């Protein structure tokens, strides 16, 4: 069984030369890798990190590579680069942190906060921070959203009501979300990424050893569920929330060959879009961006994708071992069935 499907970008479909380069170089063809802010669903695409590590360790990854994402997408990228720094499987440690988190009825953000802080320091121990941030080849771009004033000052009840209003506005036009919050990309390296189309009005800030744990907190901060993030070193005070609010799967047009590492076949731009009763997709975003996603055969084997709501399901609260077993099986199967999806795509075209 091939558990992963490759969907080529428009550029690849139209260019024989790009197809040749893809077949010769495999993942090295791509300059940017994007992971969605989809929580534990990242377990279903775990084969990618394993393949990237193998190519990197066999000296088949060349030139500067960028890893862009928010929320769990950012954490898996941090874990991947940390794996290449210390030779341990830090992505598996991220898996273990998620699998090991148990929710009990009545738990508050104060209960979740130390578990998330432990996750950040497990996948990126403090002694490794500088090595990851200053990696000579691999760059991070962590997406965080900053709520605009005066909403950022409001009590959580008013903020949640405002989010509902923005959801209703997004039903008619996605541009309304530009009034809610700004997208910030915290980047490593000497200069910010130049491949994100300027039409998206992204703000760029440096990711440093002084703010990386604050940024990891901010990009995973779900309003009313997570302990709030009100300060990031280098920016100052504000209300910083989950990067998925405005960058869920893919919200940028990327002007270089890029790869979205997805866990499903609907690629939402924002978390608000994922709640709409219809699917809104911008083909413009996929001119240079290809996709890896689980195959139907894989999805049939796991019954359902791991999801944030699993933590709150009554049957899983009563018996957390059921959830743990399902999530571990999803991760194991994703790695076991990742079998050259790019080559498989090429052969299927003949």
């Amino acid at each position: 069984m091939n558990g992963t499907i490759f969907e080529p970008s428009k550029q690849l479909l139209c260019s024989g030369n790009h197809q040749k380069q893809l077949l010769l170089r495999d993942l090295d063809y791509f300059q940017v890798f994007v992971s969605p802010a989809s929580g534990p669903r990242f377990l279903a695409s775990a084969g990618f990190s394993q393949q990237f590590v193998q190519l990197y360790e066999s000296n088949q990854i060349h030139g500067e590579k960028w890893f862009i994402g928010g929320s769990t997408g950012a954490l898996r990228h941090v874990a991947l680069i940390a794996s290449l720094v210390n030779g341990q499987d830090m992505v598996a440690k991220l898996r273990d942190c998620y699998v090991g988190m148990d929710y009990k009825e009545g738990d508050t953000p104060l209960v979740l906060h130390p578990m998330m802080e432990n996750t950040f320091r497990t996948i990126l121990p403090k002694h490794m921070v500088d090595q990851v941030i200053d990696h000579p080849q691999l760059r991070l771009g962590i997406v965080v959203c900053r709520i605009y004033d005066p909403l950022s000052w409001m009590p959580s009840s008013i903020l949640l009501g405002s989010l509902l209003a923005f959801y209703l506005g997004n039903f008619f036009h996605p541009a309304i979300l530009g009034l809610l919050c700004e997208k910030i990309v915290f980047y490593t390296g000497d200069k910010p990424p130049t491949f994100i189309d300027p039409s998206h009005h992204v703000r760029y800030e440096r990711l440093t050893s002084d703010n990386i744990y604050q940024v990891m907190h901010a990009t995973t901060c779900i309003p009313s569920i997570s302990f709030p993030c009100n300060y990031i070193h280098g920016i100052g005070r504000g209300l910083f929330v989950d990067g998925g609010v405005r960058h869920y799967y893919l919200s940028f047009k990327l002007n270089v060959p890029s790869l979205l590492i997805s866990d499903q076949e609907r690629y939402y731009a924002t978390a608000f879009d994922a709640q709409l009763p219809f699917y809104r997709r911008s083909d413009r975003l996929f001119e240079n961006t290809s996709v890896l996603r689980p195959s139907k055969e894989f999805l049939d084997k796991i019954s359902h994708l791991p999801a944030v709501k699993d933590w709150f399901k009554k049957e899983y609260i009563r018996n957390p071992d059921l959830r743990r077993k399902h999530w571990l099986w999803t991760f194991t199967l994703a790695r076991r069935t990742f079998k050259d999806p790019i080559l498989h795509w090429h052969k299927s075209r003949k």
Side-chain angles (χ1 to χ4, degrees), residues 116-345:
M116 292 304 298
E117 289 293 319
N118 176 68
T119 298
F120 306 152
R121 286 162 174 77
T122 297
I123 64 173
L124 183 63
K126 193 157 184 64
H127 69 274
M128 290 174 55
V129 167
D130 288 340
Q131 292 171 281
V132 169
I133 287 178
D134 298 328
H135 197 284
Q137 184 181 8
L138 307 179
R139 305 278 180 257
L140 282 167
I142 298 181
V143 184
V144 171
C145 292
R146 182 180 186 177
I147 302 293
Y148 288 126
D149 299 337
L151 273 181
S152 65
W153 311 330
M154 299 295 180
S156 59
S157 58
I158 295 179
L159 176 60
L160 289 176
S162 300
L163 292 177
L164 176 59
F166 275 101
Y167 164 72
L168 295 174
N170 181 64
F171 190 96
F172 298 100
H173 202 289
I176 190 70
L177 299 182
L179 301 176
L180 170 64
C181 57
E182 66 176 334
K183 282 189 282 192
I184 307 174
V185 172
F186 288 86
Y187 68 92
T188 60
D190 296 330
K191 57 184 180 180
T194 58
F195 48 78
I196 296 176
D197 197 272
S199 63
H200 296 292
H201 306 294
V202 175
R203 174 179 173 181
Y204 298 99
E205 297 288 346
R206 287 293 302 274
L207 186 64
T208 69
S209 58
D210 292 319
N211 67 19
I212 188 166
Y213 291 121
Q214 296 167 342
V215 170
M216 291 166 76
H217 173 205
T219 195
T220 55
C221 192
I222 304 173
S224 82
I225 293 178
S226 307
F227 193 78
C229 179
N230 296 313
Y231 179 84
I232 294 179
H233 186 274
I235 292 185
R237 297 200 170 275
L239 181 58
F240 304 95
V241 299
D242 196 302
V245 170
R246 288 196 62 200
H247 181 80
Y248 194 29
Y249 279 73
L250 184 66
S251 68
F252 309 130
K253 180 180 183 293
L254 302 170
N255 293 324
V256 295
S258 305
L259 183 66
L260 171 63
I261 305 138
S262 184
D263 46 61
Q264 61 181 26
E265 58 182 331
R266 290 193 167 190
Y267 319 124
Y268 301 105
T270 70
F272 288 86
D273 286 348
Q275 305 305 315
L276 294 174
F278 54 87
Y279 179 38
R280 174 189 286 159
R281 167 176 165 152
S282 173
D283 289 338
R284 172 175 174 263
L285 302 183
F286 293 88
E287 288 180 9
N288 302 302
T289 300
S290 303
V291 181
L292 287 177
R293 63 173 176 83
S295 66
K296 182 181 183 303
E297 292 78 10
F298 175 86
L299 295 174
D300 288 343
K301 287 281 187 181
I302 64 169
S303 72
H304 74 274
L305 286 166
V308 169
K309 65 182 179 181
D310 287 355
W311 272 307
F312 312 110
K313 279 185 176 179
K314 289 187 177 179
E315 73 170 301
Y316 286 157
I317 293 175
R318 287 194 299 266
N319 189 352
D321 283 339
L322 288 177
R323 176 186 57 79
R324 296 182 191 126
K325 183 178 179 181
H326 175 62
W327 286 14
L328 287 169
W329 167 239
T330 300
F331 183 92
T332 299
L333 188 66
R335 288 197 161 180
R336 186 183 299 166
T337 61
F338 192 93
K339 299 177 180 178
D340 294 314
I342 292 172
L343 181 61
H344 183 76
W345 165 77

Side-chain angles (χ1 to χ4, degrees), residues 79-125:
L80 174 56
I81 297 177
S83 299
L84 298 171
V85 167
N86 75 350
Q88 299 180 33
D89 190 348
M90 307 304 274
V91 178
K93 290 192 176 185
L94 176 60
R95 171 205 64 194
D96 293 341
C97 287
Y98 272 41
V99 168
M101 289 184 195
D102 293 330
Y103 173 83
K104 301 179 183 63
E105 290 192 42
D107 281 352
T108 68
L110 289 175
V111 175
L112 175 63
H113 184 60
M115 291 192 286
M116 292 304 298
E117 289 293 319
N118 176 68
T119 298
F120 306 152
R121 286 162 174 77
T122 297
I123 64 173
L124 183 63

